[in-house]
Amino acid sequence: MIPASDIFSISNNKQFEKIALKVFRFQYDNNSIYHKFCQFLNVEKQQVKSLQQIPFLPIQFFKSHEILSSQEKIQETFTSSGTTGMSTSRHLVTDITLYEESYRKGFSQFYGNIENYAVLALLPSYLEREGSSLIYMVDDLIKLSNHPESGFYLNNYDDLIQKLIQLDTAGENIILIGVTYALLDLIEKQHFQLKNTIIMETGGMKGKRKEMIREELHELLCKGFGVDAIHSEYGMTELLSQAYSLGNGIFECPNWMQVLIRDTEDALSYIENGKTGGINVIDLANINSCSFIATQDLGKKQPNNSFEVLGRFDNSDIRGCNLMVL
């Protein structure tokens, strides 16, 4: 077993690859679904010597199978959102402290101490269902902020408008984290000129509005909130880590997470930086499920390990990740 301290103390690419290969061998031996998948591809454990040789499990497997590399008791089951009749993903978590350490350290890496912020959350469609990993994370960040004004808002937009203006005018540092359609609803009710607030969208129109390309969406949000940039969070039910964009749609990963871009014509090969392909995610916090996931998202990678999310494969169902269909 690889200790969590090894995962969350990674500081360079060499360390990352060394631990990722250890995690691969562990999951090859202990995750029956992943083992069968590797065998189906004729990949033997001893053949794999680099990140590019590791098989990535298609994300759809989380809808049809129990993806586990641990015999421990299930502590939390996170589920994806979906419309009636749509199959949803289930991420079985045997050690919730791994998730907590991942999002706490990840947030700190990009934004510093959570106690420096009031956290306002506008996540109506997530609040209205059970099993959201996003709600679990934001609820914890709200508590950790220790700010008396931090909290969730469902449909009480007027209260949120009043609170946002009051805190921003008082010079408080604020993070407003919201699902995309609700942020658009908010700026239709009120035009802001915010000076001390970070607007972070988590994606997702949830069928409430037509999908937009990111440039159009962020231009609307910047104008409506009176800010220079829109931040974004890239996460999903099947991951225990998040990437963040501090503006311009360029995402960066915490040190224990990386993306590779696969060829859309050949899922087992990779394409060079700057070209569009399928996003494969390595999330080493997923030690007890599967750390190597082939998503249904399209993106491009930059030379410094940052990446863009450009949309979704046509044949995939619409789900609440950070995606704007092109």
Side-chain angles (χ1 to χ4, degrees):
M1 184 63 192
I2 295 96
S5 56
D6 286 1
I7 291 167
F8 295 119
S9 61
I10 290 171
S11 60
N12 57 58
N13 282 334
K14 189 175 177 183
Q15 256 187 320
F16 182 92
E17 183 156 19
K18 181 181 176 184
I19 293 173
L21 289 168
K22 275 189 187 178
V23 170
F24 162 71
R25 291 189 285 270
F26 170 76
Q27 293 182 341
Y28 185 97
D29 289 338
N30 292 280
N31 185 322
S32 61
I33 302 298
Y34 185 59
H35 186 91
K36 286 176 188 171
F37 177 70
C38 291
Q39 287 186 318
F40 177 76
L41 297 177
N42 294 316
V43 174
E44 296 296 332
K45 181 172 65 171
Q46 60 275 13
Q47 297 173 326
V48 174
K49 310 265 193 235
S50 71
L51 298 183
Q52 287 76 12
Q53 292 174 314
I54 293 173
F56 282 75
L57 189 72
I59 200 165
Q60 299 95 311
F61 275 66
F62 281 83
K63 294 182 177 182
S64 53
H65 297 80
E66 293 192 345
I67 309 300
L68 281 168
S69 301
S70 170
Q71 302 298 317
E72 298 297 314
K73 184 180 174 186
I74 308 297
Q75 294 181 354
E76 292 282 343
T77 300
F78 292 129
T79 56
S80 62
S81 55
T83 56
T84 306
M86 184 188 291
S87 58
T88 56
S89 289
R90 294 170 72 243
H91 192 174
L92 307 175
V93 181
T94 58
D95 184 357
I96 196 62
T97 63
L98 282 169
Y99 184 41
E100 292 168 349
E101 189 163 6
S102 178
Y103 65 67
R104 288 171 184 174
K105 280 187 157 66
F107 180 91
S108 177
Q109 182 175 325
F110 294 103
Y111 293 100
N113 190 339
I114 185 64
E115 292 189 6
N116 293 334
Y117 299 94
V119 180
L120 307 180
L122 182 59
L123 300 166
S125 45
Y126 293 92
L127 275 176
E128 292 163 328
R129 68 176 185 85
E130 295 291 320
S132 166
S133 57
L134 179 63
I135 292 296
Y136 189 100
M137 175 180 81
V138 175
D139 183 55
D140 191 47
L141 292 176
I142 284 170
K143 289 168 183 166
L144 290 171
S145 74
N146 284 325
H147 196 292
E149 305 295 354
S150 290
F152 284 102
Y153 290 81
L154 186 54
N155 297 312
N156 44 340
Y157 289 140
D158 292 341
D159 294 343
L160 176 56
I161 289 166
Q162 185 181 350
K163 188 62 64 184
L164 197 49
I165 292 171
Q166 175 195 330
L167 291 172
D168 190 86
T169 304
E172 298 271 4
N173 293 323
I174 306 151
I175 291 182
L176 172 61
I177 181 166
V179 64
T180 304
Y181 79 82
L183 291 175
L184 290 168
D185 289 347
L186 188 65
I187 59 172
E188 284 182 359
K189 284 181 165 289
Q190 175 74 37
H191 189 274
F192 297 89
Q193 284 298 324
L194 300 174
K195 307 290 185 202
N196 302 293
T197 301
I198 291 169
I199 307 297
M200 184 187 294
E201 52 99 2
T202 68
M205 291 299 190
K206 303 289 184 188
K208 307 274 187 180
R209 288 172 175 261
K210 71 176 180 69
E211 297 286 345
M212 297 182 186
I213 60 169
R214 178 187 55 79
E215 289 83 358
E216 181 188 1
L217 170 66
H218 283 203
E219 186 181 344
L220 270 176
L221 291 175
C222 280
K223 193 178 291 185
F225 285 107
V227 296
D228 294 330
I230 300 299
H231 294 221
S232 305
E233 180 257 1
Y234 179 78
M236 55 189 76
T237 301
E238 300 85 357
L239 302 178
L240 293 185
S241 301
Q242 301 77 34
Y244 289 99
S245 166
L246 308 189
N248 301 319
I250 306 297
F251 288 91
E252 294 184 50
C253 296
N255 295 337
W256 53 93
M257 176 185 179
Q258 285 190 17
V259 303
L260 302 174
I261 305 296
R262 68 182 185 272
D263 191 325
T264 55
E265 302 298 323
D266 176 8
L268 301 180
S269 65
Y270 294 95
I271 58 176
E272 59 193 61
N273 290 340
K275 293 200 169 177
T276 300
I279 295 178
N280 283 1
V281 177
I282 303 174
D283 181 4
L284 299 181
N286 270 19
I287 181 74
N288 293 327
S289 54
C290 183
S291 289
F292 312 99
I293 297 173
T295 76
Q296 293 178 321
D297 301 343
L298 289 165
K300 288 181 189 176
K301 193 170 176 182
Q302 311 297 332
N304 62 352
N305 272 339
S306 63
F307 67 101
E308 294 177 71
V309 182
L310 299 174
R312 181 183 288 289
F313 283 95
D314 288 342
N315 63 351
S316 63
D317 54 25
I318 293 172
R319 192 158 47 77
C321 298
N322 190 329
L323 310 168
M324 276 58 80
V325 176
L326 289 175

